[in-house]
Amino acid sequence: MTTTQSISLFGEREKGESVRTQNMTAAVAIANIVKSSLGPVGLDKMLVDEVGDVTVTNDGATILKLLEVEHPAAKVLCELAQLQDEEVGDGTTSVVIIAAELLRAADELIKQKIHPTTIINGYKLACKESVKFIQDNLSVSATELGKNCLVNVAQTSMSSKIIGSDKDFFSNIVVQCCELVRFTNTRGE
């Protein structure tokens, strides 16, 4: 059920199911643009701007930064990627793909007449349960792993665009620092 109203600048205001579908479609379109560039075997994208400058990259943040996005929902995903890049420095493509998939799944649930508030509460509950599951079943004490494994974990974490070439040097420093500040609680943990 879509309704339109006139607004003062000779435009039209749309609301309802069609707007929600348009927003979801825009978000999925942005995710599809960067999806093929994900991972170690991700494909490069060649982007040409209005002046003719060519950029070849498989970095999601760079791709999204160079896109001229006008749709409001798609802009939100681009801003999400930019924020992820500023705060963490990596994971922009993953964040966009996950956000778009959550929106797509929510759109399907809304089409089944499930209220958006219920969907949001479900996502919040799923997040809490996921964190609990990871803490209970996938967490391992660093002392059980040994230094060699910790160095490998640090190298994997630093194999991104920021430190990639010097990961051996920095991963050993990180492990040494962690061992220096490690403390034991009253239970010996």
Side-chain angles (χ1 to χ4, degrees):
M1 193 183 304
T2 303
T3 60
T4 58
Q5 295 175 330
S6 295
I7 56 177
S8 62
L9 299 175
F10 305 106
E12 291 182 354
R13 173 178 229 125
E14 293 185 45
K15 53 185 175 179
E17 186 177 332
S18 68
V19 174
R20 186 185 66 248
T21 302
Q22 289 172 11
N23 289 341
M24 190 276 308
T25 303
V28 170
I30 292 293
N32 286 337
I33 290 171
V34 295
K35 191 181 285 186
S36 63
S37 68
L38 181 64
V41 292
L43 302 173
D44 287 350
K45 303 277 186 204
M46 181 185 299
L47 302 158
V48 182
D49 66 11
E50 62 275 352
V51 184
D53 291 338
V54 176
T55 304
V56 178
T57 183
N58 68 353
D59 176 45
T62 303
I63 294 167
L64 294 173
K65 202 177 294 177
L66 294 174
L67 289 178
E68 294 178 10
V69 178
E70 292 186 13
H71 193 280
K75 276 185 181 179
V76 169
L77 274 188
C78 292
E79 290 169 4
L80 177 67
Q82 184 178 357
L83 183 63
Q84 175 75 12
D85 194 39
E86 290 170 4
E87 293 292 320
V88 181
D90 200 16
T92 52
T93 303
S94 300
V95 163
V96 169
I97 292 170
I98 290 170
E101 285 302 312
L102 288 171
L103 288 171
R104 187 193 55 71
D107 189 53
E108 291 298 318
L109 292 171
I110 289 172
K111 287 177 183 175
Q112 297 174 18
K113 305 295 185 209
I114 298 174
H115 196 275
T117 304
T118 305
I119 296 168
I120 292 168
N121 289 337
Y123 280 166
K124 287 178 181 178
L125 180 62
C127 180
K128 285 180 186 176
E129 290 298 318
S130 298
V131 169
K132 184 176 183 274
F133 179 83
I134 289 169
Q135 289 173 339
D136 294 345
N137 300 307
L138 302 177
S139 298
V140 178
S141 171
T143 54
E144 295 175 28
L145 295 175
K147 184 175 180 176
N148 201 24
C149 188
L150 293 175
V151 169
N152 288 336
V153 168
Q155 284 178 345
T156 301
S157 299
M158 290 188 240
S159 64
S160 69
K161 58 186 172 189
I162 298 173
I163 301 180
S165 60
D166 296 317
K167 66 181 179 181
D168 293 332
F169 173 74
F170 285 108
S171 60
N172 281 309
I173 290 176
V174 166
V175 171
Q176 289 171 4
C177 291
C178 289
E179 289 174 344
L180 289 173
V181 297
R182 182 185 332 179
F183 65 94
T184 306
N185 63 16
T186 54
R187 295 177 292 190
E189 300 174 338

